């Protein structure tokens, strides 16, 4: 067996698969209307790099379709500003990705917000997006992506 210090086996930030040069998702988590859009815009302005969102419906491309970040994951996440030529699309490191993990119902009773660990994670990975309907039109779908794409999380509290 390989001689590896114990901390490398257990500490998630030191996993071997995080050391590569691929692009990885970093959640930007908060309740709706708590500043995720503002924070994402601030990051794009300061860094010149695009961010992402689970909600491709909010930021369609010129053709009206949501623009997936990864070719292998058409259901998300999606580029926040798919048509803005002033910002670059990062290809490695961590991509700040807006998610509300459910919590999009403003007038619901509290039972609509109670989640198990599994349903909370599922809602963190899903959102609505726009794609072609096969006959030249558009359709709105709800999709989700694999949790293995997520490596970090920022919890925005307001």
């Amino acid at each position: 067996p390989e001689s590896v210090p114990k901390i490398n086996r257990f500490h998630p930030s030191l996993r071997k698969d995080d050391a590569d040069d691929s692009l990885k998702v970093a959640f930007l988590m908060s309740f709706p209307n708590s500043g995720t859009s503002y924070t994402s815009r601030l990051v794009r302005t300061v860094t010149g790099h695009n961010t992402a969102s689970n909600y491709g419906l909010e930021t369609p491309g010129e053709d009206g379709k949501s623009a997936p970040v990864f070719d292998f994951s058409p259901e998300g996440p999606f580029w926040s500003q798919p048509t803005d030529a002033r910002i670059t699309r990062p290809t490695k490191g961590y991509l700040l990705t807006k998610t509300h993990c459910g919590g999009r119902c403003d007038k619901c009773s509290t039972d609509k917000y109670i989640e198990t660990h599994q349903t909370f994670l599922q809602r963190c990975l899903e959102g609505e997006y726009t794609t072609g309907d096969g006959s030249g039109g558009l359709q709105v779908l709800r999709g989700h992506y694999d949790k293995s794409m997520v490596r970090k999380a920022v919890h925005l509290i307001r």
Side-chain angles (χ1 to χ4, degrees):
E2 187 176 308
S3 177
V4 178
K6 284 185 181 181
I7 192 167
N8 284 351
R9 292 187 200 154
F10 301 106
H11 196 282
S13 68
L14 297 174
R15 291 190 309 216
K16 240 181 168 179
D17 58 344
D18 276 356
D20 65 27
D21 283 339
S22 67
L23 187 62
K24 297 167 264 315
V25 171
F27 279 155
L28 176 59
M29 308 164 67
S30 77
F31 286 108
N33 300 315
S34 294
T36 49
S37 295
Y38 174 78
T39 303
S40 292
R41 185 173 45 247
L42 182 64
V43 167
R44 288 191 302 273
T45 301
V46 170
T47 66
H49 295 291
N50 211 336
T51 58
S53 173
N54 285 0
Y55 313 107
L57 190 60
E58 294 177 350
T59 57
E62 289 176 1
D63 60 359
K65 298 176 187 175
S66 303
V69 171
F70 302 101
D71 292 336
F72 61 84
S73 184
E75 295 185 13
F78 305 94
W79 291 111
S80 294
Q81 296 296 318
T83 60
D84 191 340
R86 297 171 298 171
I87 53 178
T88 60
R89 292 181 175 183
T91 58
K92 61 182 180 178
Y94 296 97
L95 180 64
L96 197 62
T97 304
K98 174 182 173 177
T99 183
H100 296 306
C101 301
R104 282 191 154 256
C105 182
D106 294 331
K107 296 180 178 139
C108 294
S109 59
T110 54
D111 65 319
K112 302 293 183 196
Y113 288 101
I114 297 172
E115 303 280 355
T116 65
H117 176 82
Q118 290 80 16
T119 60
F120 178 79
L121 177 59
Q122 179 64 34
R123 292 179 197 260
C124 290
L125 297 165
E126 70 182 14
E128 291 184 330
Y129 65 99
T130 308
T131 189
D133 66 2
S135 63
L138 297 172
Q139 63 181 336
V140 175
L141 299 175
R142 176 170 288 282
H144 69 279
Y145 52 93
D146 192 277
K147 67 181 180 181
S148 67
M149 296 165 61
V150 181
R151 294 289 195 264
K152 303 223 182 241
V154 176
H155 193 177
L156 183 61
I157 301 172
R158 183 177 123 174

